[in-house]
Amino acid sequence: MRTHIRKIGNSLGNIIPAGIIRQLNLEEGAEIEVQTEGNRIIIEPVKKKTSERLKFSEQELLNGMNPYLAHADELANITSAELGE
């Protein structure tokens, strides 16, 4: 697909066609990696790593939890003095 370099503010840029956006499942605010290889510009979506960080589910984390184990007995009672009233 052929497009043009355009002036965007004080910079130059290019609009990524909607078909490519859909194909790569991108959305506004998605992070991309831009690099050069010889005389080519390579733009790749940055893969999210959230599934790699969490090796357990929320249910596994909370399994066996009760108010005593969650230290609910140590919840703070905020006074009006602390609230500035």
Side-chain angles (χ1 to χ4, degrees), residues 2-3 11-12 14 18-19 21 31 37 44-45 47-48 54 58 70-75 79 84:
R2 195 173 281 206
T3 64
S11 301
L12 296 176
N14 181 267
I21 296 291
E31 194 173 2
E37 188 176 282
E44 297 177 307
K47 295 180 182 177
K48 297 178 184 176
L54 303 176
E58 181 181 18
H71 298 280
D73 57 325
E74 297 177 7
L75 291 177
T79 66

Side-chain angles (χ1 to χ4, degrees), residues 11-71:
S11 301
L12 296 176
N14 181 267
I15 304 298
I16 301 172
I20 293 174
I21 296 291
R22 281 191 300 274
Q23 180 182 353
L24 297 176
N25 200 25
L26 296 173
E27 55 188 37
E28 184 177 349
E31 194 173 2
I32 58 172
E33 179 76 30
V34 180
Q35 55 189 321
T36 60
E37 188 176 282
N39 64 345
R40 303 177 111 196
I41 300 170
I42 300 169
I43 302 172
E44 297 177 307
V46 174
K47 295 180 182 177
K48 297 178 184 176
K49 296 182 180 182
T50 54
S51 62
E52 291 179 17
R53 283 190 320 180
L54 303 176
K55 303 276 186 208
F56 47 83
S57 68
E58 181 181 18
Q59 184 57 48
E60 290 171 319
L61 178 65
L62 297 175
N63 192 26
M65 187 62 62
N66 61 41
Y68 178 77
L69 293 174
H71 298 280

Side-chain angles (χ1 to χ4, degrees), residues 77-85:
N77 292 319
I78 300 172
T79 66
S80 60
E82 292 173 310
L83 292 173
E85 296 177 352

